[in-house]
Amino acid sequence: NVGTSFATAWKTITSGATAARIAPGDFIRIMASPPPTSLGVTGTWVNLSSTIILSSAVNQLIDDCETAWTAGSVDVTSTLNATNFKAGSNAVSLAIAAAFTTGIVAYRTLPATLDLSTYEQITFWIRANANIPGSTFQIHLCSDNFGAVPVNTFNVPAITGANLYCALTLNNGAPLNATINSIALVAIADPGTITVLLDNFNAVKAKSSSDSLSLNSFIGKNTGSEEFLPIQSINGTTIRLDNGVNTTPAQARGYYGVSETVTAYKRECFPKATINTSTFEQIQDNGTEALPITFSGGWNRVDMSTQVDESWYVAFNGGGVGLNFPGGRMFVNVEKLVFNRADTGFTISGNNIIITDCRAFANSNNGFNVAGGNNFLVNPHSHHNTTNGISMGFGQITISNVSCFSNRAAGVLNNNQNQYVFGTLNECRNNGTFGIVCNFGNIQVRNLITSNNVTGAVQTASVFNLFKNCILNEAIEVQVQSNFQNWSINSHDNDDVTGNHIYTSDGGVIRSDTGADRRIPQGFAWKFSPTSTNRSSMYPLEMILARIACRANKLVTVQQYAKRDNAGITARLILKGGQIDGVPNDVLASVTSVGSYDLLSFTFTPTEDGVVELTGQAWGGTTFNAWFHDSNYRQAL
């Protein structure tokens, strides 16, 4: 198609919006995916639970795959796999030997006859240790007990991506049979040597039905304030939630939100192929700073004249990149696109890219992987991914109003320098490790709320990380990896309390103290608390207390009050030598008393104009404290 009207719209971003067809300044509208529909039943959501309970079932379980199927040939070994499964405690494992050619691979005699005449589709999980070519396997629903008399037949499409579960929903296009006594996997072409895993077979209503819930559907409350969630398994009224395609029930992070019973909704996605490619959709051309190219999702499904929703995509088998911005792409804006069940939802290696109101759920790796510089993520939502919600790499990256819930690793992972997390509200909750991990460089975060992250709120393995107005609800607010490099988090107005400042580094914490340990009842003292014997005279816990502008050849007098609560801790004020001409060596004064303030005082005379830093230092023990409060610095006229 030429892409110049609704009737001649392109089918995909990659092959439609090619570099030859688009140009700077173009605005490309993408049709909205089907809107959410009511399942006609209520669902009970419980905070931190992986299970949603429906008031009545909308599916019929065919087989939960907790019982081994009967092999149809001596060249097939049928067992249960208790390691890689999606529902219950097992999956059916069918090891097909080279000598097998075609025919019934295995079948399951059902415990009772099933009337499936009110359903038209089946949904199930399949995984193999090699690619499955198209026209190799079929699923048969059979009227006999031995998988030999098929009454409904479903072709299994080509599936690539070894050892990745793929959720299939196969449509009969008409009501299923009313007398189903067995189910079978049948090879219509020689599959070669391969092991196939199967799990959680369910019958699904007609595709056009509002309650046609499948493993490829997303379930939610449709409130606008809470997300639609990926489905791991369906068993009667019990819906279990998923992360990536290889997540087992015990690994799923579950729901985070309001516990309540409300009407349950589902939404469907545009399906991407079950063939695992490196990229499902890719941006093909550059805009300019004055004329960016915009890809805009969520336009109505009649004529795309109004923006009504979002455009949701699902990649089925946990492979490939949902939407890729290769290196060299510049000045592209994307909005209201959602990519699910790929390896990574969005990979951004270009520069000057703005991603607005986009989401990434249930991907096998990261939701967003930002590897390029000077890029912006605005209102990104990244939930239930197998690793991190957002992973940030090289360059200057700004993200605002982050929502990262229930990822199996971190909410936000920073692996490079100059990253910024700003906005009126940023939330990292219920992730499998930390809310935010700062592994390198300089990250600045404002207005962050964390809760129920398994290991802690924040971890750092880098320096100069500034947090402001953040509420960290975990028992471990900050974990600093120790390697004698002063990796640290400086939390300004911690817990959104004005004047509550905490500097956390490896082996020590420095806090603003407004209590009785101040020298005078104004302002706050800096309380130094070493927590590791790694802190020593060679590696003291330290903070710059003041910067003083000095004039050449004028005597400078420094006075600073300080105290300690035990003789086992050393506390001192130091002007490190070499900062300014005329002061080549360290100048310092140490606390000698215990339990009361000492006036630390020294002088120096620089021989050039400049600015020097005065540093407080403390070390010794793991339970002792020192305070610095009330200072005076003056220079002779």
Side-chain angles (χ1 to χ4, degrees):
N1 286 337
V2 295
T4 56
S5 70
F6 177 76
T8 60
W10 299 318
K11 187 174 183 180
T12 68
I13 294 171
T14 303
S15 58
T18 62
R21 290 171 163 175
I22 61 177
D26 281 355
F27 191 98
I28 298 154
R29 296 182 180 182
I30 300 169
M31 182 187 288
S33 47
T37 59
S38 170
L39 292 177
V41 298
T42 61
T44 298
W45 278 258
V46 177
N47 187 39
L48 305 183
S49 172
S50 294
T51 299
I52 297 170
I53 304 297
L54 304 182
S55 56
S56 61
V58 296
N59 300 82
Q60 171 62 58
L61 182 69
I62 299 173
D63 186 37
D64 59 6
C65 297
E66 294 297 304
T67 300
W69 287 18
T70 302
S73 165
V74 294
D75 298 312
V76 175
T77 301
S78 178
T79 59
L80 292 177
N81 187 310
T83 301
N84 300 307
F85 58 94
K86 294 296 293 182
S89 303
N90 300 280
V92 167
S93 175
L94 305 173
I96 303 173
F100 181 88
T101 54
T102 60
I104 297 174
V105 177
Y107 66 91
R108 163 79 160 127
T109 302
L110 302 180
T113 301
L114 294 180
D115 178 358
L116 301 183
S117 59
T118 58
Y119 303 91
E120 293 191 2
Q121 304 180 87
I122 62 170
T123 189
F124 61 97
W125 288 101
I126 183 170
R127 166 177 160 159
N129 62 352
N131 294 338
I132 298 176
S135 302
T136 299
F137 291 117
Q138 291 179 338
I139 299 294
H140 290 179
L141 299 181
C142 302
S143 58
D144 72 318
N145 289 335
F146 310 106
V149 183
V151 289
N152 297 119
T153 298
F154 301 89
N155 293 314
V156 175
I159 301 173
T160 63
N163 298 315
L164 289 170
Y165 265 109
C166 181
L168 292 182
T169 301
L170 305 180
N171 191 0
N172 188 54
L176 301 178
N177 195 270
T179 309
I180 303 298
N181 288 297
S182 63
I183 183 172
L185 177 70
V186 177
I188 57 175
D190 188 351
T193 303
I194 192 171
T195 297
V196 178
L197 303 183
L198 301 171
D199 210 350
N200 196 225
F201 282 84
N202 274 272
V204 182
K205 298 288 182 63
K207 186 176 181 179
S208 59
S209 176
S210 63
D211 59 350
S212 59
L213 187 71
S214 76
L215 295 172
N216 298 114
S217 307
F218 284 71
I219 189 168
K221 302 177 182 179
N222 199 31
T223 63
S225 60
E226 292 195 12
E227 302 293 352
F228 280 83
L229 306 174
I231 296 174
Q232 183 180 75
S233 65
I234 305 170
N235 190 338
T237 59
T238 301
I239 311 296
R240 288 195 64 91
L241 301 177
D242 207 4
N243 283 79
V245 295
N246 280 350
T247 300
T248 64
Q251 295 169 330
R253 292 298 305 151
Y255 166 72
Y256 189 94
V258 178
S259 298
E260 59 183 344
T261 299
V262 293
T263 301
Y265 288 77
K266 63 99 175 182
R267 72 176 305 157
E268 304 294 343
C269 307
F270 292 128
K272 305 308 294 183
T274 55
I275 297 174
N276 190 346
T277 64
S278 59
T279 297
F280 290 102
E281 296 285 6
Q282 181 162 294
I283 303 300
Q284 300 291 319
D285 199 11
N286 297 332
T288 66
E289 184 173 9
L291 295 170
I293 297 174
T294 299
F295 292 84
S296 178
W299 293 81
N300 77 75
R301 298 170 58 82
V302 177
D303 60 4
M304 287 196 280
S305 61
T306 57
Q307 193 173 37
V308 296
D309 199 355
E310 301 168 319
S311 300
W312 285 56
Y313 294 83
V314 64
F316 289 115
N317 65 339
V321 175
L323 182 61
N324 184 42
F325 298 76
R329 291 288 83 86
M330 298 178 65
F331 300 111
V332 177
N333 300 338
V334 172
E335 64 179 23
K336 293 188 178 299
L337 297 183
V338 185
F339 283 90
N340 309 301
R341 292 203 190 279
D343 175 79
T344 301
F346 296 77
T347 293
I348 305 162
S349 300
N351 292 285
N352 298 296
I353 308 297
I354 301 176
I355 310 293
T356 304
D357 295 327
C358 290
R359 306 169 192 246
F361 304 147
N363 295 288
S364 296
N365 202 334
N366 302 307
F368 293 81
N369 183 32
V370 190
N374 303 313
N375 294 312
F376 299 83
L377 300 183
V378 182
N379 301 326
H381 291 231
S382 195
H383 299 184
H384 292 86
N385 298 290
T386 303
T387 53
N388 308 293
I390 300 173
S391 176
M392 299 189 291
F394 175 77
Q396 180 170 305
I397 302 164
T398 300
I399 58 178
S400 63
N401 297 328
V402 178
S403 176
C404 289
F405 286 68
S406 301
N407 300 288
R408 284 178 57 189
V412 176
L413 171 67
N414 171 46
N415 273 326
N416 215 301
Q417 56 189 356
N418 300 324
Q419 321 297 335
Y420 306 92
V421 182
F422 293 158
T424 56
L425 178 63
N426 298 289
E427 296 183 273
C428 291
R429 304 179 188 266
N430 196 41
N431 297 291
T433 58
F434 291 90
I436 291 186
V437 174
C438 312
N439 272 345
F440 184 78
N442 175 10
I443 184 169
Q444 297 184 38
V445 180
R446 294 184 182 178
N447 306 314
L448 169 70
I449 298 177
T450 70
S451 59
N452 204 59
N453 296 293
V454 173
T455 314
V458 179
Q459 182 190 58
T460 184
S462 62
V463 296
F464 306 124
N465 297 295
L466 175 62
F467 283 59
K468 182 174 174 61
N469 300 332
C470 297
I471 300 175
L472 311 178
N473 289 299
E474 289 77 1
I476 297 176
E477 291 192 348
V478 177
Q479 182 184 94
V480 182
Q481 297 196 43
S482 176
N483 74 339
F484 302 96
Q485 294 190 39
N486 268 324
W487 289 340
S488 62
I489 294 288
N490 186 349
S491 184
H492 187 81
D493 292 340
N494 189 66
D495 290 336
D496 204 19
V497 176
T498 301
N500 181 28
H501 312 313
I502 303 176
Y503 170 89
T504 306
S505 187
D506 59 304
V509 179
I510 302 173
R511 299 174 180 270
S512 58
D513 188 344
T514 58
D517 285 298
R518 293 178 296 173
R519 178 179 172 271
I520 56 176
Q522 287 85 38
F524 58 80
W526 285 115
K527 179 181 178 181
F528 286 57
S529 304
T531 58
S532 170
T533 55
N534 289 340
R535 291 294 180 172
S536 65
S537 60
M538 300 296 293
Y539 185 54
L541 180 63
E542 63 181 15
M543 171 185 281
I544 297 170
L545 299 178
R547 292 181 173 89
I548 304 174
C550 305
R551 294 179 60 194
N553 304 311
K554 299 293 184 178
L555 180 72
V556 179
T557 300
V558 173
Q559 293 180 322
Q560 171 73 59
Y561 284 93
K563 79 168 184 176
R564 57 182 178 170
D565 61 6
N566 191 284
I569 186 171
T570 298
R572 69 186 186 184
L573 180 70
I574 183 171
L575 169 68
K576 295 180 181 180
Q579 297 183 59
I580 195 169
D581 287 352
V583 191
N585 301 314
D586 294 347
V587 182
L588 55 88
S590 299
V591 175
T592 58
S593 302
V594 173
S596 62
Y597 274 93
D598 287 351
L599 177 62
L600 309 182
S601 180
F602 56 73
T603 62
F604 63 94
T605 304
T607 58
E608 65 170 341
D609 293 344
V611 176
V612 297
E613 295 176 342
L614 297 174
T615 301
Q617 294 182 337
W619 69 88
T622 59
T623 60
F624 310 139
N625 305 287
W627 289 261
F628 293 83
H629 191 207
D630 191 16
S631 57
N632 180 40
Y633 319 114
R634 62 183 184 272
Q635 186 167 32
L637 298 177

